[in-house]
mmCIF file of all heavy atoms in Angstrom:
data_model
loop_
_atom_site.group_PDB
_atom_site.id
_atom_site.type_symbol
_atom_site.label_atom_id
_atom_site.label_comp_id
_atom_site.label_asym_id
_atom_site.label_seq_id
_atom_site.Cartn_x
_atom_site.Cartn_y
_atom_site.Cartn_z
ATOM 1 N N ILE A 219 -17.242 -17.724 -7.487
ATOM 2 C CA ILE A 219 -17.564 -17.790 -8.912
ATOM 3 C C ILE A 219 -16.492 -17.036 -9.633
ATOM 4 O O ILE A 219 -16.240 -15.860 -9.381
ATOM 5 C CB ILE A 219 -18.940 -17.180 -9.162
ATOM 6 C CG1 ILE A 219 -19.915 -18.003 -8.367
ATOM 7 C CG2 ILE A 219 -19.259 -17.065 -10.630
ATOM 8 C CD1 ILE A 219 -21.364 -17.725 -8.665
ATOM 9 N N PHE A 256 -25.688 -7.302 -2.819
ATOM 10 C CA PHE A 256 -25.132 -8.624 -2.608
ATOM 11 C C PHE A 256 -24.750 -9.336 -3.918
ATOM 12 O O PHE A 256 -24.511 -10.509 -3.945
ATOM 13 C CB PHE A 256 -26.093 -9.513 -1.817
ATOM 14 C CG PHE A 256 -25.391 -10.221 -0.701
ATOM 15 C CD1 PHE A 256 -24.879 -9.480 0.423
ATOM 16 C CD2 PHE A 256 -25.173 -11.550 -0.745
ATOM 17 C CE1 PHE A 256 -24.211 -10.145 1.395
ATOM 18 C CE2 PHE A 256 -24.511 -12.246 0.279
ATOM 19 C CZ PHE A 256 -24.012 -11.545 1.347
ATOM 20 N N GLY A 258 -22.122 -8.538 -5.728
ATOM 21 C CA GLY A 258 -20.662 -8.518 -5.939
ATOM 22 C C GLY A 258 -20.074 -7.200 -6.428
ATOM 23 O O GLY A 258 -18.927 -7.182 -6.926
ATOM 24 N N LYS A 259 -20.789 -6.077 -6.226
ATOM 25 C CA LYS A 259 -20.295 -4.803 -6.691
ATOM 26 C C LYS A 259 -19.056 -4.351 -5.903
ATOM 27 O O LYS A 259 -18.042 -3.963 -6.448
ATOM 28 C CB LYS A 259 -21.369 -3.696 -6.598
ATOM 29 C CG LYS A 259 -22.636 -4.035 -7.351
ATOM 30 C CD LYS A 259 -23.615 -2.854 -7.326
ATOM 31 C CE LYS A 259 -24.161 -2.492 -5.908
ATOM 32 N NZ LYS A 259 -24.900 -3.608 -5.266
ATOM 33 N N SER A 260 -19.198 -4.368 -4.575
ATOM 34 C CA SER A 260 -18.077 -3.882 -3.756
ATOM 35 C C SER A 260 -16.873 -4.793 -3.918
ATOM 36 O O SER A 260 -15.731 -4.360 -3.890
ATOM 37 C CB SER A 260 -18.491 -3.835 -2.284
ATOM 38 O OG SER A 260 -19.518 -2.856 -2.107
ATOM 39 N N THR A 261 -17.172 -6.070 -4.071
ATOM 40 C CA THR A 261 -16.035 -7.032 -4.232
ATOM 41 C C THR A 261 -15.185 -6.700 -5.426
ATOM 42 O O THR A 261 -13.976 -6.747 -5.380
ATOM 43 C CB THR A 261 -16.606 -8.490 -4.346
ATOM 44 O OG1 THR A 261 -17.383 -8.727 -3.157
ATOM 45 C CG2 THR A 261 -15.505 -9.517 -4.443
ATOM 46 N N TYR A 416 -22.619 -12.051 -9.509
ATOM 47 C CA TYR A 416 -21.171 -12.025 -9.564
ATOM 48 C C TYR A 416 -20.577 -12.079 -10.988
ATOM 49 O O TYR A 416 -19.387 -12.121 -11.190
ATOM 50 C CB TYR A 416 -20.529 -13.201 -8.747
ATOM 51 C CG TYR A 416 -21.145 -13.340 -7.376
ATOM 52 C CD1 TYR A 416 -21.624 -14.547 -6.938
ATOM 53 C CD2 TYR A 416 -21.222 -12.222 -6.524
ATOM 54 C CE1 TYR A 416 -22.227 -14.669 -5.660
ATOM 55 C CE2 TYR A 416 -21.799 -12.363 -5.261
ATOM 56 C CZ TYR A 416 -22.273 -13.550 -4.857
ATOM 57 O OH TYR A 416 -22.851 -13.687 -3.613
HETATM 58 P P1 LIG B 601 -22.647 -5.711 -3.131
HETATM 59 O O1 LIG B 601 -21.591 -4.652 -2.981
HETATM 60 O O2 LIG B 601 -23.129 -5.805 -4.540
HETATM 61 O O3 LIG B 601 -23.757 -5.587 -2.184
HETATM 62 P P2 LIG B 601 -20.597 -7.542 -2.226
HETATM 63 O O4 LIG B 601 -19.476 -7.269 -3.180
HETATM 64 O O5 LIG B 601 -20.474 -6.974 -0.891
HETATM 65 O O6 LIG B 601 -21.988 -7.122 -2.877
HETATM 66 O O7 LIG B 601 -20.716 -9.111 -2.179
HETATM 67 C C1 LIG B 601 -21.636 -9.767 -1.358
HETATM 68 C C2 LIG B 601 -21.131 -11.114 -0.932
HETATM 69 O O8 LIG B 601 -20.903 -11.987 -2.008
HETATM 70 C C3 LIG B 601 -19.817 -11.025 -0.159
HETATM 71 O O9 LIG B 601 -19.903 -11.814 1.027
HETATM 72 C C4 LIG B 601 -18.810 -11.595 -1.098
HETATM 73 O O10 LIG B 601 -17.734 -12.223 -0.436
HETATM 74 C C5 LIG B 601 -19.590 -12.548 -1.958
HETATM 75 N N1 LIG B 601 -19.029 -12.624 -3.305
HETATM 76 C C6 LIG B 601 -18.615 -11.573 -4.063
HETATM 77 N N2 LIG B 601 -18.151 -11.998 -5.262
HETATM 78 C C7 LIG B 601 -18.296 -13.361 -5.277
HETATM 79 C C8 LIG B 601 -17.977 -14.368 -6.231
HETATM 80 N N3 LIG B 601 -17.399 -14.080 -7.418
HETATM 81 N N4 LIG B 601 -18.208 -15.632 -5.874
HETATM 82 C C9 LIG B 601 -18.781 -15.953 -4.667
HETATM 83 N N5 LIG B 601 -19.070 -15.052 -3.741
HETATM 84 C C10 LIG B 601 -18.846 -13.737 -4.013
#
Side-chain angles (χ1 to χ4, degrees):
I219 299 189
F256 229 69
K259 303 186 297 297
S260 296
T261 302
Y416 313 127

